[in-house]
Structures are given as structure tokens and as C-alpha cells.
Amino acid sequence: MRLTSYGAALGVTGSCHLLEIGDARFLLDCGIFQGEGQGERNEEPLPFDPKSIDALIVSHAHLDHIGRIPLLIKAGFRGRIISTRPTYELARISLLDSARILDYDARRANRKRAKGEPRVEPLYEEEDVLETLDMWNEYLEYDRAFAVGDELEITAMDAGHILGSSFLCMTLTEGATRKKMIFSGDLGNVDKPIIRDPFVPPEADIVLLESTYGDRNHQPFSNTRREIVEAINETIARNGNVMIPSFALERAQELLYVLYEAWRDGELPKHAHIYLDSPMAIDATRIFTRHPDCYDEETVALASSGGNPFRFDALTYSRHTDESMRINNHSAGAIIIAGSGMLTGGRILHHLRRNLHREECSVIFCGYQATGTLGRKIVEGELQVEIMQHIIPVRSQVHTINGFSGHAGQDTLTWWAKQTNAKKILLVHGETRAKEALGTHLAKETRTTDISVMPFGEPIEL
Ligand code: ZN
């Protein structure tokens, strides 16, 4: 039995781990590399033979865990694809959106190329995604064992990271040898709206553990909630509009939950207009409404008392462009949630173009802003920025609100790892500093003596 990491080994993206048990070969996730200077890594041929893989098991629907699956299929993978049902549904909208963006970018690049110059080909196309989705038709249920084959049995447990996310508890069998291994996927932060906290894991021999926030803890979510409501109220009192750049999956729905509660409890003015101005976020919200089985206790209680954070008087969904443009009629009192989360594109740019120069307005960032993105420039205090070929002075109030992170902080990771009583912990999915800090902390706080950082492309005997 051996495990080899082909992504999320050195950094946090491109999650992809090959599990070999005898002649059987399984892949855990197949994510895309993201961030500055990482894009080219996706163009490289996959470092294993995709035709030889029997099954791919997917932990959750973020692109850094699923984004290379269409490439896998393009390269000849014909095995099974297995995940929870909400993961499949969210992956569907995410991969189709990704194919549209790749197509748009390739067309735009080709328009600039002279005749005879080689054409830019998108990494994959919508057809590859449709092919992927056709093959993705086996579903895990939380807490229920699923036999992938004689060599591998999996029980998915709620990872509390995004809707449908799971950590995978596996029994590996090779002849008379049996091992228990857990792949953490991405573990969630505690006390987040809508979804549950990560489940308590069972005991295991080996744990493959994410470490994104292995070097720090998050502020309590109640502080986050208070800060965002305050920032909105100050803006509305100044007669401004609020712009909240957001990812379409999970973050947008959590924001709606927070805004709904504040509006219902009279903490936001009753005349506030909340807009979800993103077709993809609207599609994702629909998937959330279809899976109340994934809600935490508070959200279940809310739903049974007739409350609905996804449908209330102050909330408007703007699916079509003309609906989005109508938001411009508000010079004040609008709370606009739109993508993209780091301002790398999307409708939020139109709202910024109209409002960013107005000092009574505000931009509320509640997600990580990567180096080089427009979001990062605004957060770092640039006095003017370029948006859609226009130079716009930054006069709006800029708020950065922490605590929305979907990842477990150091204490939660440690608590979780401790429950597994693992003999061996392999750290993945973190920057070097985070992995080192978590490794040191785990060595002190758990009984595990064998803690190491998973190398890239080097098989580890289990
Ligand atoms: Zn994730």
C-alpha cells in the first residue's frame, strides 16, 4: 500500500493523491493549481497514467480539489467518480463556469494574436466537463460505508467546510493486511452559518491532514458577524451603497444567512435592499435549499420555524444582466453581493466602477485576496485602480473582515487529529510555515510521534 501526492503537497492548491493497494489504483481529489505562477502546472501532462486509475473519490467541490478532473478524462481516465451528492451538484456549476471562463480567456487571447501565430487552446472545454459529469454518478452518504472494491471501503463524514464536503475514512485491504486511513480533505472552521462543524473522526492508523491554517486561529464568528453588520449600518447611515465581493459557493450563502438574521432582528434597516448579483451564486443557493439534510442545528430550527435566509422581503436575486443594471438605480441603501471574490472579473467590477469613487460607499472584503489581484490592491490601500480600462479613485471605505474562513484553525485541526489517535500523520495542503507550525503543535498536543510533511511525487509506504 502506498500513497503519492501530486498536488497540495508543496502548497495549498492542486489537491491530488494517488493511493495504490496491490494492483488497484485510486485517486483522492484531482484539483487545479491556482495562484500566481501556478497556472502552467495545469498544462503539464498528469504525472501518472490516468487510464490505470480505477476510481476517483472527491472530498468536496472547490476547484483546487476538482478542477483537473476534465483533464483526467481528456487524458483517457474511464474509471468511476464518487462523492457526496451535493458535492457533485456544486461541482457541476463550478466546472461548467470554469469551462466558460477558460473559453472566454482563450478567445480573447486569440483575438489579439496575428494571423499564423499558434492559437491558444483552453485547458478544457464544456464538452469535457459534460463528459466528466456523465461519469460522475456514484454518491456517498455521510456515515455509511461504501465499498469501492475489495481493496477499499470508504465512509464519508461531514468535514464542515462547504456544503457536501467530507473527510474520507478508509479501510485499505491488501491480502491479510488492513489499515485505516483518513483523508481530511479540507476541514471546516467551527460555528459557521448553515453547515455543521466537522464531525468527530474515528481512530485511524494514518491521517492525511490539511494544514491551511495550521499556524493560527480564527476570531470567533460572533465578532465577524458584528463587524459586518456595523460596517453596513455605517454605510447606509452615510447614504452609500455596500459592495461585498464574494465567492459563489458557500461564502455567498453564509453572507445571506448573516444578513437575513440581522435584518429579521432589526439590526439592519428594514428598507435595506440586499442583492445577490451573481447567476452562479444563485445556482449554488438553489443547491443549498435542496439539501437541508446538510444543515446544522440552528439552520434546521430556523427552517422549521418558517424562517428562510434564502428568501425574504429585503432580498432580490439578480440573475439577468438587466436586473443587475437596475441595481444602479440605488444611490444609497443597496447591499450588493457579487463575484468574483478577489475582483478578478464578474459583475462586482461594474458596481465598483460606479461606486468606488464615492466616499459614502464601502467595500467589505470577507475573503482572502491573493497577491496581484485587484482585491489585494484595494485592501493594501492603493489610491486609484484600473477597472475595465477606467482609472477609478478609491474613496469608498474599505473593510477587511476576518472570520469567514472555511478552514479549521490550529486548535480545531489539533482537536480533530487528536481524536484519530493516529500512528502516522502526513501533512498536506498548507504553506511551509503553516505545516511546520502545525507539525510542532501536533507533536506537543497529540500522542502521535510520526508526523511528517507529505513530499511531492514521492511514494510513501503505508
Ligand atoms: Zn476547499
Side-chain angles (χ1 to χ4, degrees):
M1 301 176 188
R2 50 189 207 162
L3 184 71
T4 317
S5 286
Y6 291 111
L10 305 173
V12 292
T13 65
S15 180
C16 183
H17 311 285
L18 175 65
L19 175 63
E20 293 169 278
I21 312 169
D23 293 335
R25 306 181 97 207
F26 306 99
L27 214 54
L28 308 174
D29 289 347
C30 194
I32 207 153
F33 292 105
Q34 293 168 318
E36 249 187 353
Q38 294 289 309
E40 285 123 48
R41 297 181 70 186
N42 300 310
E43 314 261 351
E44 291 165 13
L46 292 155
F48 48 84
D49 179 11
K51 294 189 192 80
S52 71
I53 307 293
D54 299 293
L56 161 68
I57 302 102
V58 178
S59 68
H60 68 286
H62 275 149
L63 279 178
D64 62 327
H65 294 254
I66 61 168
R68 277 191 292 170
I69 303 177
L71 293 177
L72 195 66
I73 284 156
K74 264 177 93 172
F77 167 76
R78 290 294 174 270
R80 303 152 69 189
I81 309 179
I82 305 166
S83 74
T84 64
R85 177 76 199 188
T87 292
Y88 162 78
E89 290 176 13
L90 291 174
R92 186 170 191 277
I93 56 176
S94 205
L95 287 174
L96 285 169
D97 181 68
S98 163
R100 272 191 293 269
I101 293 171
L102 289 169
D103 178 67
Y104 176 84
D105 289 347
R107 281 172 195 276
R108 200 173 56 167
N110 284 331
R111 273 200 296 274
K112 288 184 190 153
R113 299 217 157 184
K115 246 196 177 154
E117 257 190 286
R119 305 275 88 188
V120 175
E121 293 294 330
L123 203 55
Y124 52 79
E125 295 173 332
E126 198 171 294
E127 283 71 19
D128 302 308
V129 172
L130 293 172
E131 184 85 3
T132 303
L133 296 168
D134 284 347
M135 291 168 64
W136 193 329
N137 54 16
E138 290 182 84
Y139 307 113
L140 301 167
E141 280 183 49
Y142 289 137
D143 271 331
R144 190 170 296 177
F146 182 102
V148 183
D150 293 340
E151 306 83 2
L152 181 65
E153 186 187 82
I154 293 189
T155 304
M157 298 188 87
D158 197 334
H161 172 60
I162 61 169
L163 191 85
S165 65
S166 43
F167 59 85
L168 305 169
C169 305
M170 298 174 271
T171 306
L172 284 43
T173 307
E174 186 178 8
T177 314
R178 265 188 162 204
K179 291 246 160 95
K180 299 266 185 199
M181 180 171 115
I182 304 179
F183 170 44
S184 73
D186 286 358
L187 285 176
N189 191 1
V190 292
D191 290 335
K192 299 292 297 296
I194 310 168
I195 54 170
R196 293 181 284 248
D197 288 351
F199 279 17
V200 180
E203 297 206 341
D205 301 301
I206 308 133
V207 169
L208 190 60
L209 178 64
E210 74 118 322
S211 50
T212 318
Y213 283 88
D215 56 347
R216 65 204 120 136
N217 285 305
H218 304 296
Q219 67 168 350
F221 195 73
S222 51
N223 293 6
T224 303
R225 190 183 177 286
R226 202 189 53 241
E227 285 175 17
I228 196 162
V229 172
E230 270 172 21
I232 292 173
N233 275 324
E234 285 167 14
T235 313
I236 293 179
R238 288 195 303 268
N239 282 326
N241 289 329
V242 179
M243 293 162 284
I244 313 180
S246 171
F247 300 112
L249 306 189
E250 194 67 37
R251 187 65 41 83
Q253 291 74 35
E254 290 173 359
L255 281 163
L256 289 182
Y257 190 99
V258 167
L259 298 182
Y260 164 73
E261 274 195 328
W263 176 81
R264 178 198 64 190
D265 298 344
E267 294 171 46
L268 287 178
K270 285 287 172 217
H271 64 266
H273 299 277
I274 301 166
Y275 289 96
L276 186 61
D277 188 21
S278 155
M280 189 177 161
I282 296 168
D283 289 343
T285 306
R286 192 172 141 263
I287 295 169
F288 272 68
T289 61
R290 288 214 313 230
H291 290 284
D293 49 310
C294 295
Y295 294 172
D296 64 6
E297 260 174 51
E298 290 85 352
T299 312
V300 168
L302 176 69
S304 56
S305 70
N308 188 345
F310 306 130
R311 196 161 289 277
F312 54 103
D313 286 350
L315 173 63
T316 306
Y317 290 113
S318 313
R319 182 178 285 280
H320 302 289
T321 316
D322 55 336
E323 292 166 328
S324 175
M325 284 161 71
R326 236 177 280 148
I327 302 173
N328 296 336
N329 296 338
H330 292 282
S331 61
I335 303 163
I336 308 157
I337 303 169
S340 73
M342 298 192 205
L343 313 184
T344 49
R347 291 183 180 173
I348 193 75
L349 298 182
H350 294 272
H351 300 296
L352 288 166
R353 214 187 115 191
R354 291 187 77 90
N355 290 307
L356 194 61
H357 67 281
R358 298 174 55 205
E359 55 191 21
E360 60 273 28
C361 295
S362 64
V363 192
I364 301 180
F365 290 98
C366 48
Y368 174 71
Q369 303 300 312
T371 314
T373 59
L374 175 61
R376 181 69 162 257
K377 287 180 188 158
I378 296 178
V379 165
E380 285 184 342
E382 289 203 8
L383 298 176
Q384 55 179 35
V385 288
E386 190 185 327
I387 299 173
M388 302 185 314
Q389 286 103 46
H390 294 265
I391 302 294
I392 313 281
V394 184
R395 296 204 196 99
S396 288
Q397 298 290 316
V398 176
H399 302 267
T400 304
I401 294 186
N402 298 311
F404 266 99
S405 171
H407 285 273
Q410 190 185 59
D411 288 347
T412 308
L413 289 169
T414 307
W415 160 81
W416 188 89
K418 219 173 182 169
Q419 312 304 310
T420 67
N421 221 352
K423 295 180 194 75
K424 187 184 186 69
I425 296 179
L426 296 161
L427 298 174
V428 288
H429 206 286
E431 301 296 344
T432 308
R433 199 183 53 187
K435 278 191 281 214
E436 281 172 0
L438 183 63
T440 312
H441 196 68
L442 290 174
K444 256 193 275 169
E445 301 291 325
T446 69
R447 280 188 285 170
T448 311
T449 48
D450 185 358
I451 301 169
S452 57
V453 169
M454 193 70 195
F456 183 92
E458 240 177 76
I460 299 285
E461 292 298 327
L462 299 174

